[in-house]
Amino acid sequence: MSELTKHIVPLKGTMKIPGDKSISHRAIMLGSIAHGKTKINGLLTGEDCLNTIECFKKLGVNIDRNGDYVEIEGKGLTGLIEPSEVLDVGNSGTTIRLMLGILASLPFHTVIIGDDSIAKRPMDRVTIPLKQMKASIQGRENGKFTPLAVHGGGLNGIKYQSPVASAQVKSAILLAGLFANKETTVIEPESSRDHTERMIQAFGGKVTVDGLKISVPGEQKLTGATINVPGDISSAAFFLVAGSIVPNSEITIKNVGLNPTRTGILDILKAMGADITIQNLQNDVMEPYADITVRASTLKGVEIAGDIIPRLIDEIPILALAATQAEGDTVIKDAAELKVKETNRIDTVVHELKQLGANIEATDDGMIIHGKSSLKGAVVNSHGDHRIGMMLAIASCIAEGKTEIKNNQAITISYPGFLEQLESLKQ
Ligand code: S3P
């Protein structure tokens, strides 16, 4: 056995992953503005979702959490009260952008902030349309950056052509539109994840979808619901790639959400030659889910571009790692949105994978990875970005020698227990 194969340990086992982050946020938010009790099973208990809960508690909502089971006493939008404290979203872009849509409907003063990463991320993509609906929003650079002060209420329904395929933008406008004086329509350049549309209907609300055009009538009333949150495919993605690139691995992941607006990772891994089997598909009316098994295989480079990008935007860091282990070039294009995530993910992915010996270069709207390269252990850094931290932890499973990940506590933002679960798969 060579030195390299001696320390590369196959990953084997059956695992359950935490609840979907996007669905968890929306369940807390809609439960908080609905009338009556909401029960959530399988909520993601990562820091981002806990911050969403804290924000609604400050708005006067009673929320009880016991592990991943949550009960919310919804009193409707008009039951929310003016908070005496600042709302703090921590690192969560979904919390701040979707909450802005809700705060825009509230006829009182709120101030919302986040951490250093949030302070650098553009909020004008949401504040511009919300101001068009007549919400008053103030912030640095005319409402582009936090801290943001909002005074809402009395909104006008609008028709908005969004310049970006962003579910956060679409959702903020639709949430504001639920309580506007007339219909609100958002038109997207490409389809983004549709969890908000599905969840509004689960809470008894109305949404119509006509291709890229999504509309909600105004003056709606939502009713509490029971929501079962499936596992997060964006979290499963780390193990789908790990199972593909760590020799002799075989991993089964239970109850993974398979909403078609999120399954770009499966399409790309299959195109790269990954050995992936889907079993026990449950066509749940709200969100489909299934068990996925992945076995190690030989991968080849592909092009990742166009309208698949919004369907896998959060999976690009881990796909870039997969590409370092694929034969030939992988070209990622049309992904400039990566620059405004928790970190500039074009820069952080390219920089950190280079540290490990990958042959990778940044482009204006993506990256090019020349495979296949053998990775070597090094000191690397998550830069406080949970998905970069997890990608590097998977990279360490195939890198020769020791890899040290600085700032790996960021992983708990979306995946508490990730490192322990990864260790438990090592055979
Ligand atoms: C999310 C939408 C995506 C994604 C984020 C979660 C959501 O962001 O990157 O992690 O829950 O709506 P954009 O909508 O800004 O692309």
Side-chain angles (χ1 to χ4, degrees), residues 21-23 25-26 94 97-98 121 125 165-169 171 192-193 195-196 313-314 337 341-342 345 387:
K21 182 156 78 68
S22 295
I23 298 174
H25 282 301
R26 287 158 173 81
T94 306
R97 296 211 178 100
L98 270 61
R121 298 178 68 184
R125 50 180 55 199
S166 159
Q168 295 180 353
V169 171
S171 301
S192 65
R193 64 191 68 191
H195 304 297
T196 303
I313 188 74
D314 291 341
E337 274 293 297
K341 295 296 176 189
E342 285 82 332
R345 286 187 178 155
R387 298 197 202 282

Side-chain angles (χ1 to χ4, degrees), residues 83 96 367 406:
I96 191 161
M367 53 194 96
K406 296 213 180 290

